[in-house]
Amino acid sequence: MADNKNVTDIAALSRMCGLTTEYTDNFGERRRTSRSTMQALLTAMGVPCRTPGEIRDSLENYRTRLTSRLLPPVTVVTPEGGRSLLLNVRWPRPEMPASLEMEGELTEETGEKRRWLPHSQQLSLQEVQPSSRGWRLQLSLPLPSDLADGYYDLTFRVKSAAGEETGVTHLAVSPGQAWMPPALSPGARLWGLNLPLYALRSRRNWGIGDFADLRTATAWAGELGAAFVGVNPLHAPQSGDKADPSPYSPSSRLFLNFLYVNLENVPELQDSPEARALLANPDFQAEVARLQEAPLVAYPEIRRLKRRLLKILFTAFVERHGLPEAPLTPRGRDFARFVAQGGENLQKFSLFQALTEHQGKKDWRRWPKNLQRPETPAVAAFARDHTQEMVFYQYIQWLAAVQRQQVWDEATRARLPFTLYQDLALGAAPGGAETWSYPGLFARGVAIGSPPDAFNLKGQDWNLPPLIPKNLEESGYRLFTRTLRANLPPSGIIRVDHVMSLFRLFWIPEGHRPQEGAYVRYPARDLLGLLTLESQRRRTLVIGEDLGTVAPSIRRNLARARIFSYRVFYFERKGKGDNNFAAPENYPRQALACATTHDLPTLAGYWEGRDLNLRNQLNLYPSPQLAEQDATLRAQDRLLLVQALVQQGLLPPNYEPPSDFCPEELRRAVLAYLGQSRAALVEVRLEDILGLTAQQNLPGTLKQHPNWRQKIFQNLEDLRQDPELTRVAATLGQARRGEGRGT
């Protein structure tokens, strides 16, 4: 009996902390969470659960925390959820009080204060909970009807026969729906390019695409009639020669990748004879030329070259323009404003970068204990002694921010409806700046991933630490909102990677297989409310990457919040028992349609089965039988694909393509098929226009495949003259306007 009680208690504690005790996988099979997994995940959250006594104490602590405060640390309200405040009022009986005296003070973002005197008749009883001193009544109180969308600090006082209580909450009043740009109404259908920025070649970059290349591509997209240019995440990368180059495993999502800065465009170059001499040095030029010609992006070498020149440029900047605390010129004052606006986040990031340089070890978890948290005396002493080194990293971020702004400006000049289409990564590397800057928010000894599904039969471990839901809420969602503000391009598009993370994430205990993990729920209503509020303020359209194991309720909630679905051609089929490709008219309107993603084979690679061959060679299949099954299904898919294109009049009825080569007319027909769809947006990847077979990333691999390093084989300058791109652009333009069929 005692053991059953313990199992019941740990299950109750798990549910209270958001941990699900079972889930239905992508194959329709119900998976129960084991007790050992529950204990491992609760421990990662910082919840004591090793003994029956600890479990009981943790249960009591959580129940008390839920009812002990008049107001939660943050309150997010939307029209759909009812713009009401929830109060936890202490009362001697489990019934509605006859009257309460209430008073609130709302402080707006401008600092202006507003008094609020609600009436107790407006209250409604929602829930009753026993407490140590009677009862806690959860009461709902409508907010003032004229309260505008935005953020407020609310102090609220309740006085009754039971005593007086005061509570404070950070209030976010959200519209509940994301921004819908005028360019998409009424019924407009647009298309755009997506390109891997790091992979772009040009005659002037240093072996990695940069913001100058992105400006060129943006102007070129405008000439082609595209509505946007999409890129991989631009987040600050991990440091070190052996660091994972994945833009989806950054050091911090709050800052930019300095490798994308075009150093020839930095004004300090004209002020520094030393910098110009370095650039003109034959050995330096030879190194740049070697990096340009290399087939793969050589991140360590590029980082060293750029840092070398940046150090010289920074010295020239300080000599002429001064430091942020004492600027000498208008340019110096611009930098000082940037540093001031960056505030605590920029200070911590630059401090982390300086510490990383001094420690030599790039992962803060390997630093001395007294440096592993940002608020220690040892860290404060280091900051005092290394101010100028911190300013150097702030200067680099300023250059990156200025050049990103120039990309947005170029999009406006090119008359693109959107400034930029940017990806937002799901998380940050466990040993990077973001996890160091926000201690206590990230779980330790656990990673985010996904359970086995049709695409990844062994499941996936992404080696990203998850945020602890309760701690995120207690912090007022500061990291979440700061991440949105750092990444939402104004008048642009954001694609939220693995948007299901707003609702739940799959946690895998360290040392366990993905199938031994479990889902953890997140406060979706609050997170959606904050996302839609920030979307409206920045005028940014939001796309949610909703691939994989997705509950139907999640897609319904996203649609209500006006967050676009992400529809991949390979996966869009007619339905159960019918594996034919979904017809263009069956795509949802509120969606972005695309042929493939960075984690999937290109169109040519898919047609030729390159991804299946790679998975087989790298032993990514659980069994040979499954490999054979995939090969059989791919052969069937090729027939179904041609059949779908013929039915739409995009290929002739007697079309017989080769099985070992994907011709241009077939790729163009697939893109035209997507162009005819009801989806408001269509994304076309540069690799598919060019017929490349190598995919950017092969999930489940680290060193076995050159993930995130393969370059586009042509220079950007030559691509601009490529007639194939012009033909694809014309095809898409016609398809999006509904001007007949054919390629």
Side-chain angles (χ1 to χ4, degrees):
M1 286 293 289
D3 191 57
N4 289 341
K5 178 72 165 69
N6 291 338
V7 171
T8 301
D9 283 349
I10 198 167
L13 179 60
S14 295
R15 285 190 290 269
M16 199 170 287
C17 295
L19 173 57
T20 59
T21 54
E22 65 178 29
Y23 71 94
T24 302
D25 68 16
N26 201 233
F27 306 102
E29 186 176 339
R30 181 176 291 183
R31 303 275 186 176
R32 296 190 181 278
T33 306
S34 68
R35 177 173 177 170
S36 63
T37 294
M38 290 184 203
Q39 286 183 307
L41 298 188
L42 288 170
T43 299
M45 293 179 185
V47 179
C49 60
R50 290 175 301 174
T51 66
E54 284 187 345
I55 294 169
R56 286 193 300 272
D57 289 345
S58 294
L59 269 171
E60 183 58 33
N61 288 339
Y62 265 76
R63 290 189 184 112
T64 302
R65 190 168 76 172
L66 290 172
T67 61
S68 62
R69 295 178 295 205
L70 179 66
L71 288 169
V74 64
T75 301
V76 182
V77 297
T78 62
E80 185 179 359
R83 292 196 169 187
S84 298
L85 196 65
L86 289 178
L87 305 167
N88 282 312
V89 176
R90 188 170 64 246
W91 195 244
R93 297 178 299 280
E95 60 189 39
M96 187 77 174
S99 66
L100 292 174
E101 182 182 317
M102 297 179 291
E103 180 181 3
E105 183 180 73
L106 290 153
T107 303
E108 299 184 11
E109 293 172 85
T110 60
E112 186 177 342
K113 297 185 183 299
R114 170 178 173 175
R115 195 179 181 204
W116 177 30
L117 297 171
H119 299 290
S120 58
Q121 292 90 336
Q122 297 174 274
L123 293 167
S124 60
L125 182 62
Q126 301 295 305
E127 196 176 320
V128 176
Q129 291 280 352
S131 72
S132 57
R133 291 183 291 170
W135 300 84
R136 276 281 177 181
L137 312 181
Q138 189 182 76
L139 305 175
S140 176
L141 176 66
L143 289 163
S145 58
D146 62 344
L147 206 58
D149 291 344
Y151 295 97
Y152 304 84
D153 288 318
L154 171 63
T155 302
F156 201 82
R157 181 175 62 85
V158 175
K159 188 175 182 181
S160 68
E164 184 175 315
E165 292 183 89
T166 300
V168 294
T169 190
H170 185 58
L171 174 65
V173 180
S174 169
Q177 289 192 315
W179 171 253
M180 180 65 74
L184 288 182
S185 60
R189 299 185 305 162
L190 305 175
W191 71 276
L193 286 171
N194 192 297
L195 46 87
L197 180 55
Y198 61 87
L200 292 184
R201 291 180 188 266
S202 69
R203 297 191 184 107
R204 42 136 303 278
N205 75 32
W206 290 17
I208 187 170
D210 59 29
F211 286 124
D213 293 328
L214 186 52
R215 285 172 60 190
T216 300
T218 300
W220 166 45
E223 296 166 8
L224 293 172
F228 57 83
V229 173
V231 292
N232 48 270
L234 303 176
H235 311 317
Q238 300 178 54
S239 301
D241 290 355
K242 297 181 181 179
D244 184 352
S246 171
Y248 293 89
S249 183
S251 177
S252 174
R253 295 167 297 170
L254 299 176
F255 297 97
L256 294 168
N257 187 341
F258 82 92
L259 296 180
Y260 294 141
V261 174
N262 170 31
L263 297 183
E264 287 93 336
N265 283 355
V266 175
E268 281 68 62
L269 187 62
Q270 304 309 314
D271 300 330
S272 173
E274 184 184 357
R276 293 197 301 276
L278 177 63
L279 276 183
N281 182 285
D283 291 339
F284 192 90
Q285 286 294 312
E287 182 68 5
V288 169
R290 185 183 67 80
L291 294 172
Q292 286 176 332
E293 294 301 318
L296 301 177
V297 179
Y299 289 99
E301 291 90 338
I302 294 167
R303 184 181 294 113
R304 278 194 286 272
L305 277 189
K306 290 208 169 188
R307 276 179 54 87
R308 184 179 173 188
L309 183 56
L310 278 164
K311 289 278 189 181
I312 299 170
L313 295 176
F314 174 65
T315 300
F317 175 87
V318 172
E319 288 175 355
R320 179 168 181 181
H321 304 289
L323 291 167
E325 61 269 21
L328 304 174
T329 65
R331 181 165 171 79
R333 287 190 286 275
D334 285 345
F335 176 49
R337 278 191 292 272
F338 173 81
V339 172
Q341 289 165 2
E344 176 193 14
N345 280 331
L346 183 57
Q347 288 293 322
K348 283 185 178 179
F349 178 76
S350 59
L351 175 54
F352 176 86
Q353 295 295 93
L355 274 165
T356 300
E357 187 173 341
H358 272 260
Q359 287 299 308
K361 298 170 183 174
K362 310 304 179 183
D363 187 330
W364 62 262
R365 296 170 300 176
R366 299 174 61 200
W367 294 353
K369 287 288 185 184
N370 62 355
L371 298 178
Q372 290 186 8
R373 296 175 70 91
E375 72 282 1
T376 66
V379 169
F382 179 90
R384 286 192 299 271
D385 295 340
H386 299 85
T387 303
Q388 188 137 329
E389 292 167 55
M390 292 170 59
V391 176
F392 168 66
Y393 289 105
Q394 293 162 5
Y395 171 75
I396 292 174
Q397 284 301 310
W398 179 51
L399 297 180
V402 167
Q403 293 195 6
R404 181 181 60 175
Q405 179 65 54
Q406 291 169 352
V407 172
W408 298 341
D409 294 342
E410 183 61 49
T412 303
R413 279 193 295 273
R415 299 181 181 274
L416 269 66
F418 300 98
T419 55
L420 187 64
Y421 165 29
Q422 183 182 323
D423 257 19
L424 173 60
L426 170 61
E434 192 170 319
T435 55
W436 180 82
S437 298
Y438 287 86
L441 281 191
F442 291 90
R444 303 282 296 270
V446 68
I448 304 167
S450 67
D453 58 26
F455 184 65
N456 291 283
L457 297 169
K458 292 184 177 181
Q460 294 183 68
D461 181 336
W462 299 327
N463 192 33
L464 298 172
L467 288 161
I468 301 169
K470 295 293 181 186
N471 295 10
L472 180 64
E473 186 177 359
E474 287 289 330
S475 73
Y477 302 115
R478 284 180 302 133
L479 177 56
F480 181 72
T481 53
R482 288 172 177 177
T483 302
L484 293 176
R485 290 168 189 167
N487 289 280
L488 294 179
S491 300
I493 305 172
I494 193 77
R495 175 187 174 275
V496 180
D497 190 45
H498 198 73
V499 73
M500 292 81 75
S501 64
L502 301 177
F503 300 82
R504 66 179 190 177
L505 271 175
F506 195 72
W507 288 27
I508 305 166
E510 196 173 71
H512 290 62
R513 297 173 300 166
Q515 51 263 51
E516 296 173 281
Y519 278 104
V520 174
R521 292 193 183 93
Y522 284 75
R525 189 179 69 87
D526 287 359
L527 297 176
L528 276 174
L530 294 168
L531 174 58
T532 53
L533 175 56
E534 292 297 330
S535 162
Q536 291 281 356
R537 287 157 76 101
R538 302 274 287 189
R539 294 173 167 261
T540 305
L541 183 145
V542 181
I543 297 166
E545 188 261 295
D546 51 352
L547 304 177
T549 305
V550 190
S553 60
I554 290 179
R555 280 210 171 109
R556 288 195 296 270
N557 280 308
L558 292 172
R560 279 195 293 268
R562 216 157 56 185
I563 292 171
F564 275 42
S565 184
Y566 189 70
R567 298 303 175 105
V568 177
F569 174 70
Y570 302 152
F571 303 146
E572 292 302 302
R573 306 298 173 113
K574 286 191 174 178
K576 289 184 179 178
D578 188 346
N579 204 35
N580 286 289
F581 287 90
E585 61 268 21
N586 292 332
Y587 279 69
R589 163 72 183 163
Q590 192 173 287
L592 178 141
C594 59
T596 185
T597 78
H598 55 265
D599 284 335
L600 295 171
T602 64
L603 269 174
Y606 182 83
W607 180 263
E608 297 169 20
R610 295 295 183 93
D611 58 315
L612 306 185
N613 294 336
L614 265 176
R615 280 199 243 170
N616 222 347
Q617 292 168 14
L618 299 176
N619 194 31
L620 298 180
Y621 279 107
S623 70
Q625 292 78 13
L626 287 170
E628 292 173 11
Q629 180 181 311
D630 267 6
T632 301
L633 290 173
R634 184 63 57 84
Q636 293 172 1
D637 274 354
R638 281 196 290 266
L639 295 174
L640 293 174
L641 188 153
V642 172
Q643 178 183 311
L645 299 176
V646 169
Q647 286 176 349
Q648 290 297 314
L650 297 168
L651 289 174
N654 59 351
Y655 186 75
E656 294 185 7
S659 61
D660 60 343
F661 172 72
C662 187
E664 179 191 345
E665 67 269 12
L666 182 64
R667 288 181 276 113
R668 194 145 44 95
V670 172
L671 299 179
Y673 189 92
L674 292 172
Q676 291 178 0
S677 74
R678 289 182 63 243
L681 297 172
V682 166
E683 167 191 291
V684 181
R685 291 192 170 262
L686 185 58
E687 300 98 305
D688 288 336
I689 298 176
L690 299 174
L692 305 185
T693 56
Q695 64 193 76
Q696 293 179 41
N697 179 52
L698 184 64
T701 64
L702 289 175
K703 296 180 180 178
Q704 309 99 307
H705 187 260
N707 296 327
W708 313 113
R709 290 185 290 150
Q710 298 173 97
K711 294 184 189 179
I712 303 297
F713 67 92
Q714 284 181 270
N715 280 336
L716 195 57
E717 296 85 352
D718 298 329
L719 282 174
R720 202 165 184 173
Q721 309 302 321
D722 193 324
E724 192 168 341
L725 275 84
T726 305
R727 289 193 293 269
V728 168
T731 297
L732 279 162
Q734 291 172 3
R736 295 271 76 190
R737 293 190 297 270
E739 296 177 1
R741 295 178 177 179
T743 60

